[in-house]
Amino acid sequence: MKRGLVVLDHAEIPEGERAGRIGALQRRLAADGVDIALVYGDVYRSDDVGYLTNLCIYWNEGIVAVPATGDPAFLTKLSPRVHTWMRRTSNVEDLRSGKSFGPLVQELLAGREPGVVGLVEGRLWPASIVAELTAAAPDWELRPLDGLVREQRLVPSEHELVLLRDGAALMARAAARVTPPGPATAWVSAAERELRGGGYTEVLVDTATTGGGVASIEITGQYRYGWLRAGRVVAGAEGPAWASALDTALRAAIGAAKDGASVADLSAAARPALAGLPDGAVHDVAWTNQADLATNGDFERHAGDTRLALGAVGAITIDVALPGGGRAVVADTVLIGEQSAECLTKG
C-alpha cells in the first residue's frame, strides 16, 4: 500500500508539463479515432493515473476519463469527502464519485453522440469492470488500446529526471547502510527509515540469503512518480569468491548499456564474471524501465532483443538462484546515454 508523501509542487513539475501530458494523449486519441479514453488504476497499478493527474490511488480504484477534446475527469468509488484533498493534490477539477463505474461512465457519456471509448492498457483491465462498462454504454464501441500513457513515461522529461536523481541519491544512501555484520531485518528497517523519511511514496524491500554467509537486499521504491532500484550482496571476509563477482558482473552490464544496446548485450557483458558461480546456479540479467518497476516488469517483460533508448531510465538487475536453494540479487538504476550509461544509485 502506498502510504508516503504525495506532493503537488509546480516548481518540480510545471503546470504546463502536466497539461502537455494530457495534450499528447489527446492528439493520439484524435489520430486513432477515439472519442474518449479511460485509464484505470488501483493499488497495484496506478502510475498512469498519477502521471496524468498527480493523484495517488493508495486504496480502492479510479478511472481517468480523457476526451479527445476538453478537460479530463476522475471517476472513483470513494466518497465525495475525498474530493477536497484530491483537488489540492491534482490537476483535475471534475471529480465524480459513485458506488460503481458503470453509472459514472454512463453519466459521463450522456448527451454525446455514440462513438469509441478506448480502454488504455485494455488487456490488463479487470474483466468485471469491462463487462460493467459494456452494459452501461451499449451504443458505444469499447476498444482496447495499447499502453499509450506508459509510452509517454518511458523516457523521462528534464524535470522528471531531476526528481529521479533526487530519489536515486536517497536510494544510494539506503543501499550503503547494508554492511556486515547485522541481521537482514535491521537492513530493512534502515532502508525504510531512509527512504520514507526522504519523501518516498512506496518502498519495497526484499532480502535473501544463501550458504556461505552471503546475504542480499533488493530495494525498489517510488519517489514522486518515478521508480528506482538498488540491490547489494553482502558477504563476510570468509565469504565465497562468487559473491564479489556479482558486483563485477553488474558493473560490466552497466558498462555495456547505451543507446541502441540490447538486453542480450548486457547479459553477454556480464557472462564472464558470472562464470565462477557454483555449478547448477541459474542467473538472469534483466532490464526494467522505471515505468515498469511498480510491477517488476511482469506485464512488460523485456526480451533479449529489446533495445535501450537514449534518455531512458531503468534498473539493471542480476538475479541468481543457487542449487539447493538460496538467492542473491544485485541491481542499480541507470540513465541511458549515447555511448554509456550513468549509474544513478551507486554510492
Side-chain angles (χ1 to χ4, degrees), residues 85-344:
W85 69 258
M86 282 186 168
R87 286 194 175 91
R88 288 177 178 173
T89 59
S90 78
N91 58 334
V92 181
E93 288 294 328
D94 188 354
L95 303 172
R96 308 186 186 200
S97 293
K99 294 183 178 180
S100 60
F101 289 123
L104 289 172
V105 170
Q106 197 170 50
E107 176 189 343
L108 186 73
L109 299 178
R112 293 174 177 265
E113 192 69 25
V116 178
V117 173
L119 305 183
V120 176
E121 295 269 28
R123 65 190 176 90
L124 301 180
W125 277 61
S128 58
I129 295 180
V130 174
E132 185 181 336
L133 299 186
T134 301
D139 297 328
W140 288 71
E141 175 193 347
L142 260 65
R143 182 186 301 172
L145 304 177
D146 292 334
L148 305 187
V149 181
R150 173 185 172 271
E151 290 173 10
Q152 294 181 214
R153 297 169 48 225
L154 291 176
V155 176
S157 70
E158 175 185 348
H159 295 101
E160 291 172 302
L161 184 55
V162 170
L163 294 176
L164 283 165
R165 289 186 183 280
D166 291 344
L170 290 166
M171 179 72 75
R173 286 203 295 270
R177 293 182 180 275
V178 182
T179 56
T185 53
W187 301 340
V188 173
S189 177
E192 284 271 0
R193 286 197 304 271
E194 184 78 49
L195 299 179
R196 294 287 185 191
Y200 265 67
T201 308
E202 178 68 295
V203 179
L204 306 170
V205 185
D206 188 22
T207 61
T209 58
T210 72
V214 179
S216 66
I217 184 170
E218 181 182 26
I219 310 168
T220 305
Q222 184 184 35
Y223 185 76
R224 301 301 189 261
Y225 286 99
W227 286 84
L228 301 111
R229 171 180 290 165
R232 302 288 183 263
V233 165
V234 179
E238 303 302 320
W242 63 259
S244 60
L246 286 180
D247 186 67
T248 302
L250 179 60
R251 297 305 138 209
I254 292 173
K258 61 181 179 179
D259 181 28
S262 69
V263 175
D265 292 334
L266 310 188
S267 184
R271 192 172 298 124
L274 296 172
L277 289 174
D279 291 341
V282 178
H283 68 267
D284 179 47
V285 180
W287 159 265
T288 309
N289 190 288
Q290 68 87 24
D292 301 315
L293 273 176
T295 53
N296 198 36
D298 289 343
F299 298 116
E300 296 291 344
R301 183 67 177 171
H302 300 293
D305 58 355
T306 299
R307 298 286 172 177
L308 308 186
L310 180 65
V313 171
I316 297 176
T317 305
I318 301 180
D319 197 329
V320 177
L322 292 152
R327 173 174 173 258
V329 180
V330 288
D332 268 312
T333 303
V334 303
L335 167 66
I336 302 302
E338 289 186 2
Q339 298 300 325
S340 63
E342 176 188 353
C343 185
L344 301 179

